[in-house]
Amino acid sequence: MNEPTFIPDADNARAFRDALGSFTTGVTIVTIQSDHGPMGFCANSFSSLSMDPPLVLWSPAKSSSRFLPYSTARHYTIHVLAHTQGDVIKRFIRGGLGFEGMSYHRNDQGVPLIPGTVARFDCKQHATHDGGDHLIVVGRVIRCANTGGAPLLFTQGKYGSFTAD
């Protein structure tokens, strides 16, 4: 094999980020009810972990201004966005409107729910683990919804959808 290789370090952080971007992920919004009201966090680090017990994980950046309320939240909901919900991302990135002016409901634990997503996982925090500059948050799924449809995808710095061959 004659592929270019490198050791990830500060000098080639962009190349490392680009290599990671080659892996297509879904797009999720993780919501909580905080002391300051409802909050949402855009995350593509979501992954299934275990079927028995039903566990999922996601990983917020420790540098995020919303890290503390998310790292300590007892309950949260992970929403898998539909391919038509690209506008929802803008609400939950830094400086976005969040839930302001948005119609939503709450689950039995008081966590805000985003309408129109293709899947939803209501979770209770199960464990956390150090993950370098991120925290690995493991949640036990206490309720799940799956409405189906095409999810929003993220790859190589762009949002889009999937077309099967």
Side-chain angles (χ1 to χ4, degrees), residues 14 16-29 42-46 80-86 89-90 93 150-163:
R14 182 75 251 171
F16 183 53
R17 192 173 186 90
D18 289 346
L20 292 170
S22 297
F23 183 71
T24 301
T25 66
V27 181
T28 68
I29 303 291
C42 186
N44 66 346
S45 59
F46 169 72
V80 178
L81 296 185
H83 77 282
T84 58
Q85 291 184 298
I89 297 165
K90 295 173 188 159
I93 58 173
L152 183 62
L153 302 178
F154 183 72
T155 189
Q156 299 173 351
K158 298 176 185 155
Y159 296 100
S161 57
F162 171 76
T163 304

Side-chain angles (χ1 to χ4, degrees), residues 59-65 67-68 129-136:
S59 303
K62 293 177 181 176
S63 62
S64 169
S65 62
F67 177 75
L68 185 59
H129 306 280
D130 182 60
D133 60 2
H134 283 65
L135 181 70
I136 300 165

Side-chain angles (χ1 to χ4, degrees), residues 28 38 41 45 49 51 53 63 72 75-76 82 85 87 91 94 105 121 126 129-130 134-135 138 145 151 154 159:
T28 68
F41 193 109
S45 59
L49 182 60
M51 294 293 287
S63 62
T72 58
H75 291 94
Y76 57 90
Q85 291 184 298
D87 58 324
R91 298 185 75 84
R94 188 180 327 233
H105 295 82
F121 303 90
H126 179 76
H129 306 280
D130 182 60
H134 283 65
L135 181 70
V138 178
F154 183 72
Y159 296 100

Side-chain angles (χ1 to χ4, degrees), residues 110-135:
V111 177
L113 305 177
I114 298 170
T117 60
V118 296
R120 187 182 80 232
F121 303 90
D122 295 340
C123 300
K124 179 177 181 178
Q125 191 180 97
H126 179 76
T128 60
H129 306 280
D130 182 60
D133 60 2
H134 283 65
L135 181 70

Side-chain angles (χ1 to χ4, degrees), residues 26-43:
V27 181
T28 68
I29 303 291
V30 182
T31 59
I32 62 170
Q33 179 59 41
S34 75
D35 293 340
H36 304 290
M39 296 177 76
F41 193 109
C42 186

